[in-house]
Amino acid sequence: MDADSRTHIILVHGACHGAWCWFKVATRLSSAGHRITTPDLAASGVDPRPLREVPTFRDYTQPLLDILASLPPGEKAVLVGHSLGGMNIALASELFPEKVAAAVFLAAFMPDHTLRPSHVLERVKSADMMDTEIKPQDPEGKAANILPVRAAGHTTEGLPVVFFRGVFPNLTTKGLPIAELRSIATGEAERKVCGFSNRVAGTMWQDLTLGASLMRVSSLFLEDLELQQPYSEDRYGSVRKVYIVCKEDLAIIEAYQRWMMEKNPVQEVKELDGADHMAMLSRPDELAHCLTNIAKKYA
């Protein structure tokens, strides 16, 4: 298949992650004949910059914006944003609406075009649904909300607290109470860690080990986003949108995903049964199939 004729899908990771988190889905989509781009946002993945050198959300998003700016005239791409990545594809849609075939929000934050983009993050903060800042706490870039978890013969180092909130209510930055660690070891709670619901334990721990070695400190850039004006109806609002609901998400819960759609209706809603927050790891086949169908319809 000629490269120029293939549907271009750009997969955008969330906070703390990088292009690496898409490895299962990107492989499947490429095999299906799509052209896949998986950028590392600033201070993420293999991008060499430390977070302290990325002062604004636009700076953080710049690698994605550079990709869109480089597309030839008339070429469009399907943007897929996961988690905080929804905010990145929203900004990209505001700046380059003519280059976006569709904006796909995968269990992602999705702003509307009437309120400041920070609104969807502020509401989460006020509801205490998840940690709102994952950022360096010292000059070396080490984060206070990073903890090791050791159980059932497995060790995960450096996983942000945000992926455990709502699973272990007594969790602190010092670690987990022994009773709850024991529940992991007996299998009673490990299926929920990081929202990995109903996962095969071995696969889950493989993904956790990968994440622990590659995740980096990040931020929601809330202070910066609070200063931004609402995105416009004739630019961001004109881009066709699809929302993929992850029904067992423990980080951005289903009710909140649907609340964002009530505030900003989309062209189509798709659901992934059994998918946790990290659907690209827990349900790669189903997600790749879903994205293929979206690309056929909108690209």
Side-chain angles (χ1 to χ4, degrees), residues 142-161:
K142 296 179 180 179
N145 58 344
I146 298 294
L147 75 161
V149 175
R150 300 178 179 86
H154 299 277
T155 301
T156 61
E157 297 282 358
L159 291 173
V161 174

Side-chain angles (χ1 to χ4, degrees), residues 94-243:
E94 171 71 12
L95 297 176
F96 298 99
E98 73 284 357
K99 296 191 176 185
V100 181
V104 183
F105 296 81
L106 172 63
F109 292 109
M110 180 178 66
D112 57 30
H113 51 76
T114 60
L115 298 169
R116 296 179 188 276
S118 61
H119 178 67
V120 291
L121 301 177
E122 292 166 345
R123 183 176 172 86
V124 168
K125 182 178 180 180
S126 65
D128 194 31
M129 290 183 182
M130 63 185 291
D131 293 332
T132 57
E133 291 294 326
I134 310 170
K135 60 185 179 182
Q137 300 298 321
D138 61 33
E140 300 303 317
K142 296 179 180 179
N145 58 344
I146 298 294
L147 75 161
V149 175
R150 300 178 179 86
H154 299 277
T155 301
T156 61
E157 297 282 358
L159 291 173
V161 174
V162 64
F163 293 123
F164 295 84
R165 289 284 297 278
V167 182
F168 305 106
N170 297 322
L171 179 63
T172 70
T173 56
K174 295 182 180 179
L176 294 172
I178 187 62
E180 298 196 43
L181 282 174
R182 188 176 296 114
S183 74
I184 298 177
T186 58
E188 296 172 5
E190 71 174 6
R191 68 183 182 85
K192 294 183 178 179
V193 175
C194 294
F196 292 112
S197 302
N198 298 319
R199 293 267 232 120
V200 177
T203 301
M204 182 196 75
W205 283 110
Q206 291 173 7
D207 293 338
L208 285 173
T209 300
L210 175 68
S213 66
L214 296 174
M215 290 167 69
R216 295 174 61 180
V217 290
S218 188
S219 172
L220 299 189
F221 297 91
L222 186 58
E223 294 87 351
D224 178 61
L225 289 170
E226 287 173 341
L227 301 176
Q228 308 306 314
Q229 294 301 310
Y231 296 141
S232 61
E233 184 174 4
D234 62 337
R235 296 184 68 81
Y236 170 64
S238 69
V239 172
R240 296 178 295 179
K241 300 175 183 65
V242 179
Y243 202 102

Side-chain angles (χ1 to χ4, degrees), residues 105 110-113 236 241 259-266:
F105 296 81
M110 180 178 66
D112 57 30
H113 51 76
Y236 170 64
K241 300 175 183 65
W259 176 84
M260 288 185 285
M261 285 184 277
E262 290 177 4
K263 300 299 181 182
N264 188 28
V266 298

